[in-house]
Amino acid sequence: MTGQVEIRELMDCRVAGSDSGPMANAAVIEAHSLTKNYGAAPALRSLDLRVGRGEIFGFLGPNGAGKTTFIKILLDFIRITAGEVQILGSAPADLDRRRIGYLPERIAIHPFLSGREFLHYHARLLAIPRSERASRVARVLERVHMSMDADRRVGTYSKGMTQRIGIAQALLGDPEILLLDEPISGLDPIGIQQMREIILQERERGATVLVNSHQLLEVEKTCDRVAILNRGLVVAQGSRDEIAARRGLSLTVDAMTDAIRGAILAADAAASVEGCTATLQITDEERERKFPASIVEAGGRILNYSQSRESLEEVFYRLVKGAGA
């Protein structure tokens, strides 16, 4: 299914009745034991996920992990095999989809349209009043820095320019939820920075943003929480600090004695000790907090002490490779 077909299916829908929606502190996306199989091949396996209102949530995983499948389920493009899923308090099939802004991984736009014509078309689908369409379109074009090229045919656009118009389309209706599938694909470094700013601005507006991405650094910079998906399974979920189990430590003492070496190895049997310097990892936060005191109790005088945590890239590599991706 192409991005063009997905967008048409998304927008060509009935107008649902009023919905009071969840409370401000409730989840806006929830999945419980969500399973999706394509024949005998599992795409999602007993997925449990919760995304809170006003949060930027990163969905990470290698190709084929099931990230796009999950977004298609939220949009009711495909049906689940088992389990439950809700978005804005409703089943996907019952939701007024105008409450959602969607950017597919590969957006396709008729090349004979200009960027502005494409956005006006979607403004009509969103039932934006005629009197507001021009100003609303102009506003999103300015946000994605495409005002100067808005009247060119899309067929003359670069990949990055087409991506910007796709982002503008997702923003057009001031949605409650933004579903962004690889949003920085094709963007240059300036465009990536601008996309980051837009995502943060949407959170300030009160929107919830779900980002599918391979760009771990960008996710680390923008997302409040992440879920790492591998072969249809969530292998970790939470803030980076919550999923970064490995806490690296380095310390230097004035003299390395057997008692001090014993205290170090008691904290991490795989610690590296060279001269008066040791490097180690402690997975338990409470043990890490007490560790300096154990060195002092062993008679050591700490000259240098530093801490580090895994980057999101290191966490991702450890969990995905460890699961045999």
Side-chain angles (χ1 to χ4, degrees):
M1 184 181 292
T2 67
Q4 181 67 35
V5 173
E6 289 178 357
I7 291 176
R8 185 164 61 250
E9 288 180 354
L10 170 64
M11 302 310 305
D12 188 14
C13 58
R14 69 186 184 281
V15 177
S18 61
D19 181 1
S20 58
M23 298 295 289
N25 60 351
V28 295
I29 297 173
E30 279 192 289
H32 301 286
S33 301
L34 178 62
T35 299
K36 173 62 183 177
N37 298 328
Y38 292 105
L44 294 173
R45 296 185 284 171
S46 297
L47 184 145
D48 290 311
L49 192 73
R50 182 186 188 279
V51 180
R53 181 174 295 276
E55 152 172 76
I56 303 173
F57 194 94
F59 214 32
L60 305 176
N63 292 331
K67 305 185 304 297
T68 298
T69 293
F70 182 64
I71 281 187
K72 289 181 178 180
I73 287 171
L74 293 178
L75 296 170
D76 198 38
F77 291 164
I78 57 178
R79 300 298 172 88
I80 64 176
T81 303
E84 298 179 44
V85 62
Q86 285 197 332
I87 179 168
L88 290 168
S90 301
D94 298 329
L95 186 69
D96 178 358
R97 299 176 204 171
R98 293 178 303 174
R99 301 171 69 184
I100 305 171
Y102 171 49
L103 175 71
E105 181 178 6
R106 290 181 293 275
I107 186 167
I109 305 172
H110 291 301
F112 56 82
L113 291 175
S114 71
R116 193 183 306 274
E117 288 169 338
F118 174 73
L119 293 175
H120 271 277
Y121 168 69
H122 278 278
R124 292 195 298 273
L125 291 175
L126 287 165
I128 294 173
R130 182 186 296 270
S131 61
E132 298 178 17
R133 288 175 195 165
S135 61
R136 189 81 70 91
V137 167
R139 186 185 73 191
V140 294
L141 283 168
E142 183 176 359
R143 290 189 69 187
V144 300
H145 302 270
M146 281 292 292
S147 298
M148 297 292 292
D149 297 294
D151 296 309
R152 285 174 49 185
R153 289 188 177 183
V154 171
T156 69
Y157 283 176
S158 67
K159 173 65 171 71
M161 295 169 75
T162 304
Q163 187 76 353
R164 288 171 185 266
I165 291 296
I167 294 164
Q169 174 272 138
L171 298 171
L172 191 58
D174 291 333
E176 296 174 57
I177 295 181
L178 275 169
L179 303 177
L180 306 178
D181 204 348
E182 299 292 346
I184 64 173
S185 175
L187 297 180
D188 59 23
I190 293 174
I192 291 172
Q193 171 65 30
Q194 291 165 346
M195 186 66 220
R196 188 187 309 151
E197 292 172 354
I198 287 171
I199 290 174
L200 294 173
Q201 289 164 0
E202 286 301 293
R203 180 178 61 185
E204 288 297 312
R205 184 175 65 82
T208 302
V209 186
L210 177 66
V211 180
N212 276 1
S213 184
H214 296 100
Q215 302 296 325
L216 301 179
L217 180 60
E218 285 307 307
V219 169
E220 191 162 19
K221 288 180 177 180
T222 57
C223 292
D224 303 306
R225 292 193 305 124
V226 299
I228 298 177
L229 191 68
N230 189 39
R231 296 186 178 183
L233 288 171
V234 172
V235 295
Q237 184 178 169
S239 68
R240 184 178 67 86
D241 285 346
E242 288 170 340
I243 65 176
R246 298 184 180 181
R247 298 175 171 86
L249 299 175
S250 176
L251 81 156
T252 301
V253 294
D254 59 344
M256 184 64 68
T257 66
D258 289 342
I260 296 172
R261 186 186 299 271
I264 292 169
L265 295 177
D268 177 11
S272 172
V273 180
E274 294 185 10
C276 294
T277 299
T279 57
L280 65 159
Q281 291 177 336
I282 301 177
T283 58
D284 182 81
E285 192 168 357
E286 181 64 16
R287 288 176 59 199
E288 178 187 335
R289 186 181 66 80
K290 294 178 178 179
F291 176 66
S294 70
I295 299 300
V296 174
E297 290 171 3
R301 185 164 67 93
I302 298 174
L303 303 179
N304 182 64
Y305 186 85
S306 60
Q307 299 169 292
S308 64
R309 290 179 184 263
E310 290 176 294
S311 68
L312 187 57
E313 182 178 15
E314 291 169 330
V315 173
F316 180 86
Y317 186 84
R318 169 170 58 83
L319 292 173
V320 170
K321 287 299 182 181

